């Protein structure tokens, strides 16, 4: 399956808690089972755009508020996801 995990923040963001740990474990666990998994999240505090973490591509949306929900972040996430899904469709988005 081709899967996209949407997350407000990841273990790459300064605030780390249960949600970030859970998303990382789900992403790496699904990838280890042979699924194609990507993570989309808010901007990276260090300005990174794309990074592979534990075999899972992570996409950080520049211009969004790092680690936080915002109207701009929702709009940019939707635009990115719509464009990406149109090119190579996801089977599920989590």
């Amino acid at each position: 399956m081709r899967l996209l995990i949407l997350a407000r923040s990841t273990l790459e963001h300064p605030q780390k808690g249960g949600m970030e740990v859970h998303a990382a474990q789900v992403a790496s666990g699904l990838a280890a089972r042979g699924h194609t998994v990507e993570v989309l999240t808010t901007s990276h505090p260090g300005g990174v755009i794309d990074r592979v973490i534990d075999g899972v591509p992570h996409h950080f949306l520049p211009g969004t508020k790092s680690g936080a929900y915002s109207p701009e972040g929702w709009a940019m996430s939707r635009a990115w996801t719509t464009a990406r899904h149109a090119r190579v469709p996801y089977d599920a988005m989590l």
Side-chain angles (χ1 to χ4, degrees):
M1 289 187 82
R2 189 162 190 279
L3 308 166
L4 176 64
I5 296 174
L6 302 158
R8 172 183 51 90
S9 60
T10 68
L11 295 176
E12 294 282 301
H13 292 90
Q15 64 282 8
K16 295 173 185 71
M19 180 180 78
E20 293 78 17
V21 171
H22 176 72
Q25 289 175 342
V26 168
S28 62
L30 288 168
R33 286 166 179 77
H35 300 287
T36 300
V37 181
E38 296 177 81
V39 173
L40 177 64
T41 188
T42 58
S43 67
H44 190 281
V48 172
I49 303 292
D50 294 302
R51 176 175 281 167
V52 176
I53 303 167
D54 293 331
V56 177
H58 284 58
H59 309 287
F60 299 89
L61 284 172
T64 60
K65 188 172 179 183
S66 181
Y69 295 118
S70 69
E72 298 80 18
W74 286 114
M76 292 176 78
S77 292
R78 181 177 182 177
W80 188 96
T81 302
T82 300
R84 185 78 159 205
H85 182 65
R87 286 195 316 271
V88 184
Y90 293 102
D91 295 303
M93 296 179 201
L94 316 167

